[in-house]
Amino acid sequence: MNPFIELGIRHDIVNAISELGFEKPTPIQEQAVPVLLTGSNDFVGLAQTGTGKTAAFGLPLLELLDFSQKHPQALILCPTRELCLQIAKDIEKFAKNTPNVHVVAVYGGASISDQLRQIRRGVQIVVATPGRMLDIIGRNAIDFSGVKYVVLDEADEMLNMGFQEDINNILSTTPEEKKTWLFSATMPAEVRRIAKNYMTDPFELTVGTKNSGNANIEHHYYVIRARDKYAAFKRIVDSSPEIFGIVFCRTKIETQEIAEALIKDGYNADALHGDLSQQQRDKVMKRYRDRSLQLLIATDVAARGIDVNDVTHVINFSLPDEIENYTHRSGRTARAGKTGVSISLVNLKELGKIRQIEKVIGKSFVKMEVPKGADVVGKQLFALINKVQQVAVNDDHIDPYLPQIMDSFAELSKEEIIKRFTSLEFNRFLEYYQHAPDLNVDASESRENRGDRKGRSERFGRDGYKSDYTRLFINLGSVDNFTRGDMLGYICNNTRISGKAIGKIDLKGVYTFFEVENTSVDKVFSGFQQVDFNGRSVRVENAGDSHGEKRSGGKSYRNSGNGGGEGRKRRDHNGGGGFRDFSSKRREKSRW
Ligand code: AMP
């Protein structure tokens, strides 16, 4: 017998989910469905996204509601528009063979009149984000007096996003005797409080261990210098030619810049963050879903609710500020029983954070080595071989050319021909990578890499500034989201001078003072001649002797502001996701 029938689900629904490929229940479905089907419990389910929790509450709702009535009987609240649409769509799919089921998705950023029209026509299940729901309630456009079940999905996310008060207000319009089902990936005190305030003796279910990550996710970390982060990131991506990944950054600015840098470097990437219009975000998401994008660079908020299966890698370009967010990020991979890798790029200072995350997710991270140039070359080569093996040959079109082609190769052996064809691609990445340096942090360098530059400044004179160093001013600072480590990397990347040539870095709000060995000063000035940061000219000046204020009239270089200096030459974007242009030696140079 179909295991869903054994759980108590009707045939018409089981037929619909069989078509979706649901052969047997996931652990949360197996445990939650029988409890929820009784309709008599409040419920708390601690489960990650990707565990099948939508069906865990969606299937029981379809069994419990009376679809001969056309008033709202179930309200599902969730944090994002994407998740809202996903849940509504999923439930409609489950109900494909069930007559008279009406589901409405209520979310901001779309026409409210369409949503109101659907509500007026009569719905039993309302899936909503809190803001728009309150708006509709405020217009007296919906009657929740017949609601029997409220589902709070991704409750921790909703609280993170500041929806607590909205949720209170919405719930106050529903009957006292309704049942509340809460799902959350984590159980911080705020979520516990909701459970306590709104529920009576809830049935609690934890899938996996508490707060633990999905068992199918491997957690890897790489220790690198801040200045090598972008180059290391590209190596990791290059050594996984089949990657279909989400790259998390901490800020919108970082997200945009990484995406731009990747596109310039020929990667198939785009950004998703809150400064984009809804339409732009939808477009990016569509491209990602269709897999015409290989790398989605996103902020935590923008990536909430992304439900794309088959994501192979989550890459934490920057670790999240809130450790809890790590679970949400990594949960974007290894969905629906698949496996996935969550990668973190850290400097030595951030190792403590990795240990903290390990405690939260209850799993150990594996330390990985940034692939060496030869490793990447090997991976790319075998990806090419694989592609040759898989390529679809269009006989009709190629046949007319074949006699001449065969003729051209008549003198060559099979081995020689294979060697030459593979060399066509191979030479390009071989050339690019053959002198690529090792980017792994050597433990003996750890002091330098702690980013505090203390080792050097201790050797300085009374005022802390050594005479064979020059103090410079740059018009970027902490408001531009630089840490000292980032600044070190930024200077080195733009000037190609070694981090050892840089002394103390004094990061201020809108500017920074930094010291450079006298012999490297010119390189710094010339390196920053044509650089812009977010459309702003980067300006470097001699800070003078005062160590406090920059001296006017000092040597100063300013970018022409055209946004495209040397090393930023536009490279064609290989939208097809195949081999990238490895021909430029500058590829590992970037503003990161
Ligand atoms: P969710 O956690 O509800 O977002 O589900 C994650 C993914 O797993 C979705 O794409 C579902 O369609 C899929 N899924 C849910 N339940 C099952 C099941 N029993 N068998 C196979 N796939 C499932």
Side-chain angles (χ1 to χ4, degrees), residues 155-181:
D156 49 353
E157 294 264 9
M158 286 201 281
L159 297 184
N160 272 342
M161 292 171 82
F163 285 138
Q164 170 79 69
E165 211 180 312
D166 290 358
I167 294 172
N168 290 345
N169 291 333
I170 295 167
L171 293 187
S172 70
T173 69
T174 60
E176 282 274 319
E177 60 282 5
K178 67 172 180 291
K179 299 297 171 214
T180 305
W181 304 345

Side-chain angles (χ1 to χ4, degrees), residues 222-233 250 254 258 317-318 345-350 439-441 445-446 448-453 481-494 496 499 505 588 590-592:
Y222 295 79
V223 185
I224 40 205
R225 299 172 198 88
R227 65 169 183 264
D228 291 332
K229 202 175 191 179
Y230 181 66
F233 165 68
R250 234 181 25 225
E254 190 183 47
I258 295 282
F317 191 85
S318 299
L345 306 178
V346 298
N347 58 36
L348 284 164
K349 248 178 19 182
E350 293 173 309
L439 298 181
N440 292 290
V441 166
E445 284 184 83
S446 60
E448 166 161 3
N449 286 296
R450 253 176 248 143
D452 58 13
R453 324 292 303 150
N481 285 309
F482 276 87
T483 61
R484 274 187 298 183
D486 295 337
M487 183 56 77
L488 178 67
Y490 186 71
I491 297 166
C492 293
N493 267 336
N494 277 288
R496 298 276 97 187
I505 294 177
E588 282 204 4
S590 128
R591 58 179 112 182
W592 297 94

Side-chain angles (χ1 to χ4, degrees), residues 4 21-26 29 48-55 90 307 309 335-336:
F4 283 100
F22 294 17
E23 285 168 10
K24 59 180 190 4
T26 64
Q29 291 161 3
Q48 307 283 320
T49 119
T51 50
K53 63 188 163 59
T54 313
D90 282 355
D307 175 34
N309 285 339
R335 298 173 69 81

Side-chain angles (χ1 to χ4, degrees), residues 566-586:
E566 201 267 335
R568 283 165 184 68
K569 208 172 63 177
R570 215 159 252 293
R571 193 162 292 121
D572 280 347
H573 172 195
N574 176 0
F579 285 105
R580 284 179 287 279
D581 178 6
F582 284 87
S583 57
S584 168
K585 286 226 175 67
R586 302 202 68 89

Side-chain angles (χ1 to χ4, degrees), residues 221-253:
Y221 71 99
Y222 295 79
V223 185
I224 40 205
R225 299 172 198 88
R227 65 169 183 264
D228 291 332
K229 202 175 191 179
Y230 181 66
F233 165 68
K234 287 197 298 185
R235 288 234 194 131
I236 294 164
V237 171
D238 286 347
S239 65
S240 305
E242 302 302 330
I243 193 169
F244 179 55
I246 303 181
V247 181
F248 282 96
C249 296
R250 234 181 25 225
T251 62
K252 293 178 212 168
I253 293 174

